Amino acid sequence: MCPQNLTSKVRYTFNISAPGNQYHPKIGALVSEKIFPTKLRPWFIQAAKPGVTGASWTEPYIFATIETNVGITACEPIFASNGSLLGVAAVDMSFSQLSTDLSAIPFTNNGFAFIFNSAGVFYGSSVKNESVSFNSYDQAGTLSVTLKDVHNITDWRMSTAVMAVYGSVKGNLANLAPTQTYIVEDLIFQHQLYHDQFGLSLIIVTGGDNVHCTVLIPCL
């Protein structure tokens, strides 16, 4: 049985003109590049590069709309019939929303789920107190957001799972099998690799109590 709520929620929609201005359909007007510097955003830069013609995912970055929110974006250039760039279409995957969706899975005893990429960057988890980043401020009040990796996990269940997954391939996640089940002490858990046609590669780990848990792999 696969949960159906593991999708990012739509926060807003708008079109992007080639110069980088937003056209908001509800407002019916352009939002100035001075207000929101679209051309400087990672997803716009990536999709507008010469030679890019299809959809792709960005690396994790800090969203502009919520400065403490981190995520990735699927982006694709839109071209006119003459080949000129009309704009960029983009869809966000918020890590905080992903964690909310994972926490909604009806787990059994000590159940948990978390997701990271092949570089070990933490994307989200079902554990409420396990954030995906470290947020700090300097003396001038400037926010600094540092992405967590799986070595910074504090939850004992997740930490146990990470050590087992890494240990199975001696730290080289590129050598992971498509799926594998582990039993360590009082936990049973499973990893599953996820790949899509746009270059997104993730490692999904789910598990729980060794006695009462049924391992559940989310459908993304």
Side-chain angles (χ1 to χ4, degrees):
M1 180 178 180
C2 295
Q4 301 300 314
N5 63 339
L6 290 184
T7 55
S8 295
K9 304 299 186 293
V10 176
R11 293 179 297 156
Y12 49 78
T13 59
F14 51 79
N15 303 317
I16 302 295
S17 67
N21 293 324
Q22 300 180 30
Y23 179 82
H24 199 298
K26 291 185 178 180
I27 299 175
L30 289 173
V31 178
S32 170
E33 175 73 10
K34 294 181 180 180
I35 298 176
F36 184 81
T38 306
K39 290 185 291 184
L40 301 180
R41 302 306 298 160
W43 52 270
F44 191 93
I45 294 172
Q46 180 167 310
K49 287 181 179 179
V52 174
T53 58
S56 61
W57 288 94
T58 67
E59 292 297 316
Y61 70 100
I62 303 169
F63 290 165
T65 50
I66 306 174
E67 63 179 6
T68 58
N69 197 5
V70 180
I72 57 176
T73 298
C75 52
E76 182 174 7
I78 306 299
F79 299 99
S81 57
N82 63 2
S84 62
L85 180 67
L86 288 176
V88 171
V91 178
D92 291 339
M93 179 190 290
S94 161
F95 289 175
S96 62
Q97 183 61 58
L98 183 58
S99 293
T100 299
D101 291 341
L102 288 172
S103 66
I105 297 174
F107 290 109
T108 53
N109 290 7
N110 281 325
F112 63 93
F114 63 99
I115 297 176
F116 57 100
N117 68 8
S118 59
V121 176
F122 190 38
Y123 276 38
S125 82
S126 62
V127 180
K128 293 182 179 179
N129 295 328
E130 196 70 64
S131 63
V132 298
S133 62
F134 301 104
N135 301 329
S136 60
Y137 293 86
D138 61 20
Q139 293 182 344
T142 303
L143 173 67
S144 176
V145 178
T146 304
L147 291 175
K148 269 188 181 182
D149 64 31
V150 290
H151 300 293
N152 303 127
I153 290 174
T154 57
D155 181 80
W156 71 271
R157 298 161 298 174
M158 295 169 58
S159 178
T160 299
V162 164
M163 287 189 291
V165 172
Y166 266 76
S168 69
V169 290
K170 298 181 180 179
N172 187 353
L173 294 174
N175 294 331
L176 277 178
T179 184
Q180 183 172 336
T181 300
Y182 310 77
I183 299 177
V184 181
E185 299 179 356
D186 295 329
L187 295 177
I188 180 171
F189 47 90
Q190 186 179 75
H191 85 250
Q192 179 170 305
L193 303 186
Y194 170 85
H195 304 285
D196 72 7
Q197 66 269 40
F198 307 118
L200 181 64
S201 296
L202 300 176
I203 301 162
I204 306 167
V205 179
T206 58
D209 187 279
N210 189 11
V211 178
H212 302 100
C213 176
T214 299
V215 174
L216 173 68
I217 293 296
C219 287
L220 293 187

